[in-house]
Coordinates of all heavy atoms in Angstrom, one line a residue:
L64 N 176.9 -22.6 131.1 CA 175.5 -22.8 130.6 C 175.4 -23.5 129.3 O 175.1 -22.9 128.3 CB 174.8 -21.4 130.6 CG 174.4 -20.8 131.9 CD1 174.2 -19.4 131.8 CD2 173.2 -21.6 132.5
R120 N 171.8 -9.8 131.9 CA 171.3 -11.1 131.4 C 169.9 -11.0 130.8 O 169.6 -11.7 129.8 CB 171.3 -12.1 132.6 CG 172.7 -12.5 133.1 CD 172.7 -13.7 133.9 NE 171.8 -13.7 135.1 CZ 172.1 -13.2 136.3 NH1 173.3 -12.6 136.5 NH2 171.2 -13.2 137.2
Q121 N 169.1 -10.2 131.3 CA 167.7 -10.1 130.8 C 167.7 -9.4 129.4 O 166.7 -9.6 128.6 CB 166.8 -9.3 131.7 CG 166.4 -10.0 133.0 CD 165.6 -11.3 132.6 OE1 164.6 -11.2 131.8 NE2 166.0 -12.4 133.1
F126 N 169.3 -15.9 127.9 CA 169.3 -15.9 129.3 C 167.8 -15.7 129.8 O 167.4 -16.4 130.8 CB 170.1 -14.8 129.9 CG 171.6 -15.1 130.0 CD1 172.5 -14.5 129.1 CD2 172.0 -15.9 131.0 CE1 173.8 -14.8 129.3 CE2 173.4 -16.2 131.2 CZ 174.3 -15.6 130.3
A127 N 167.1 -14.8 129.2 CA 165.7 -14.5 129.7 C 164.8 -15.7 129.5 O 163.8 -15.9 130.3 CB 165.2 -13.3 128.9
Q128 N 165.1 -16.6 128.6 CA 164.2 -17.8 128.4 C 164.5 -19.0 129.2 O 163.7 -19.9 129.3 CB 164.2 -18.2 126.9 CG 163.5 -17.1 126.0 CD 163.6 -17.4 124.6 OE1 164.4 -18.3 124.1 NE2 162.8 -16.7 123.8
L129 N 165.7 -19.0 129.8 CA 166.1 -20.1 130.7 C 165.5 -19.9 132.1 O 165.5 -18.7 132.6 CB 167.6 -20.2 130.8 CG 168.3 -20.7 129.5 CD1 169.8 -20.6 129.7 CD2 167.9 -22.2 129.2
P130 N 165.1 -20.9 132.7 CA 164.5 -20.8 134.1 C 165.6 -20.4 135.1 O 166.8 -20.8 134.9 CB 164.0 -22.2 134.4 CG 164.7 -23.1 133.5 CD 165.0 -22.3 132.3
P131 N 165.3 -19.7 136.1 CA 166.2 -19.3 137.2 C 166.9 -20.6 137.8 O 168.1 -20.5 138.2 CB 165.4 -18.6 138.2 CG 164.2 -18.1 137.5 CD 164.0 -19.1 136.4
S132 N 166.2 -21.7 137.8 CA 166.8 -22.9 138.4 C 168.0 -23.4 137.6 O 168.9 -24.1 138.1 CB 165.8 -24.0 138.5 OG 165.3 -24.3 137.2
V133 N 168.1 -22.9 136.3 CA 169.3 -23.3 135.5 C 170.3 -22.1 135.6 O 171.5 -22.4 135.7 CB 168.9 -23.5 134.0 CG1 170.1 -23.6 133.1 CG2 168.0 -24.7 133.9
V134 N 169.9 -20.9 135.4 CA 170.8 -19.8 135.4 C 171.5 -19.5 136.7 O 172.7 -19.3 136.7 CB 170.0 -18.5 134.8 CG1 170.9 -17.3 134.9 CG2 169.5 -18.7 133.4
E135 N 170.7 -19.4 137.8 CA 171.3 -19.0 139.1 C 172.5 -19.9 139.5 O 173.5 -19.3 140.0 CB 170.2 -18.9 140.1 CG 169.2 -17.8 139.9 CD 169.9 -16.4 139.7 OE1 170.9 -16.1 140.3 OE2 169.4 -15.6 138.8
P136 N 172.4 -21.2 139.5 CA 173.6 -22.0 139.9 C 174.8 -21.8 139.0 O 175.9 -21.7 139.5 CB 173.1 -23.5 139.8 CG 171.6 -23.4 139.8 CD 171.2 -22.1 139.2
A137 N 174.6 -21.5 137.7 CA 175.7 -21.3 136.8 C 176.3 -19.9 137.1 O 177.5 -19.8 137.2 CB 175.2 -21.3 135.4
I138 N 175.5 -18.9 137.4 CA 176.0 -17.6 137.8 C 176.7 -17.7 139.1 O 177.8 -17.0 139.3 CB 174.9 -16.6 137.8 CG1 174.3 -16.4 136.4 CG2 175.3 -15.2 138.3 CD1 175.3 -16.0 135.3
A139 N 176.2 -18.5 140.0 CA 176.9 -18.7 141.3 C 178.3 -19.3 141.1 O 179.3 -18.9 141.7 CB 176.1 -19.6 142.3

Side-chain angles (χ1 to χ4, degrees):
L64 285 161
R120 290 194 308 273
Q121 287 298 310
F126 275 107
Q128 291 175 348
L129 289 173
S132 62
V133 170
V134 175
E135 292 307 322
I138 296 304

